[in-house]
Amino acid sequence: FVSLDQQKHVISNKMNRSLLLLGVLIALFAINVSAIQFRLEANEEKCIREEFKPKSRVRGTVSVKPSSPILKLGFKVLGDQNSLVTQTLEVKDGGHEFSFVSLDHDVEYSFCFIDVVGGKYYPEGEGRVVELSVQTGEPRRDYEAVAKKEHLQPMDVDMLKIEDNMNLLSKEFEFMKDLEAHHRETSDSTASRVQWITILSTIILISLGVGQIFYLRRFFKSKKLL
């Protein structure tokens, strides 16, 4: 016979394996992290464009090295029709954190940087390195804090993790389904336009051919060749 503790241990191991598989799927589909480094010269403005899926939580950090008492790095995010989403006039030494929620339709966002000289001479050609890190997706819940607050057992915490992971995967699959439908609609619309363009081109070619025939017949008749 198998004791109750052994049964709980077996169930816990199975849940841990399921959580590991779901965690891998979440890492592949639900959360996207990207980072970039580039050199920015004094008084130079540079923008980086990026698209995010609708209604996504976008979080990121901006940092610059080395620190300078003369230069001030300004940072802003522009959205639909160059509307201002977020802005800071000076990125401090510890970096600057930002967050926003993307709109409910496709929009290309611009992350713009400018290193402004604060009224003093700064040698030309001596720029600074800017680092931008952006993460999209829902932040993970602090399960330890939840367990302490609600006095949950380890198995209850495992069930809560599975529920959260399933919800994230469900949202991701819904987004992929909507994206597929949008691409299919675009493809059908493009195919319909190509079909009408083909029909119109055929009609124009036939009309030109018929016109050429009538023109040649009139020409030959005027020359008394027919």
Side-chain angles (χ1 to χ4, degrees):
F1 295 95
V2 180
S3 65
L4 182 59
D5 292 337
Q6 289 177 337
Q7 291 179 357
K8 288 183 178 180
H9 181 69
V10 172
I11 295 174
S12 179
N13 287 337
K14 290 182 179 180
M15 285 186 175
N16 288 335
R17 288 196 293 268
S18 300
L19 284 173
L20 178 61
L21 177 60
L22 288 173
V24 172
L25 292 175
I26 293 299
L28 290 175
F29 294 106
I31 299 177
N32 181 24
V33 180
S34 59
I36 185 174
Q37 279 188 348
F38 57 91
R39 186 178 181 83
L40 187 67
E41 303 295 335
N43 293 322
E44 176 189 7
E45 184 175 13
K46 182 174 293 187
C47 293
I48 299 173
R49 300 181 183 276
E50 184 65 48
E51 287 188 10
F52 305 102
K53 61 184 182 182
K55 296 183 179 179
S56 294
R57 169 68 65 180
V58 182
R59 304 180 303 280
T61 57
V62 179
S63 59
V64 59
K65 295 180 181 179
S67 59
S68 172
I70 301 175
L71 295 175
K72 292 183 178 181
L73 178 65
F75 168 71
K76 62 182 176 180
V77 179
L78 302 178
D80 192 15
Q81 298 181 355
N82 289 328
S83 59
L84 184 63
V85 178
T86 182
Q87 181 183 27
T88 179
L89 299 178
E90 182 179 3
V91 176
K92 303 295 184 180
D93 292 341
H96 172 71
E97 297 183 355
F98 64 91
S99 66
F100 61 90
V101 178
S102 59
L103 298 177
D104 57 357
H105 57 277
D106 293 335
V107 175
E108 189 176 56
Y109 290 87
S110 298
F111 299 85
C112 297
F113 311 83
I114 183 169
D115 220 4
V116 181
V117 178
K120 297 182 180 179
Y121 172 76
Y122 190 81
E124 294 184 1
E126 294 189 13
R128 297 198 293 173
V129 176
V130 178
E131 180 176 356
L132 170 66
S133 177
V134 178
Q135 176 179 341
T136 59
E138 294 295 332
R140 303 304 302 272
R141 196 186 325 201
D142 189 351
Y143 295 103
E144 293 184 1
V146 173
K148 291 180 180 179
K149 181 179 179 180
E150 301 184 6
H151 307 288
L152 299 178
Q153 297 297 323
M155 187 175 294
D156 297 328
V157 176
D158 291 339
M159 294 298 297
L160 185 61
K161 291 180 180 179
I162 292 176
E163 182 182 359
D164 289 347
N165 288 334
M166 291 301 296
N167 289 334
L168 285 175
L169 281 177
S170 177
K171 290 180 180 179
E172 186 66 23
F173 288 143
E174 287 180 2
F175 167 73
M176 294 174 65
K177 183 179 179 181
D178 294 340
L179 186 63
E180 180 185 2
H182 175 70
H183 287 171
R184 183 169 59 250
E185 181 181 351
T186 302
S187 178
D188 293 343
S189 176
T190 303
S192 177
R193 293 177 183 178
V194 170
Q195 182 179 5
W196 281 108
I197 290 175
T198 302
I199 294 174
L200 181 60
S201 299
T202 303
I203 294 175
I204 292 175
L205 289 175
I206 293 175
S207 300
L208 289 175
V210 173
Q212 281 187 331
I213 292 174
F214 278 104
Y215 174 78
L216 290 175
R217 289 191 61 179
R218 290 181 58 186
F219 175 77
F220 289 141
K221 285 183 178 180
S222 65
K223 298 297 182 179
K224 297 182 180 180
L225 298 176
L226 290 179

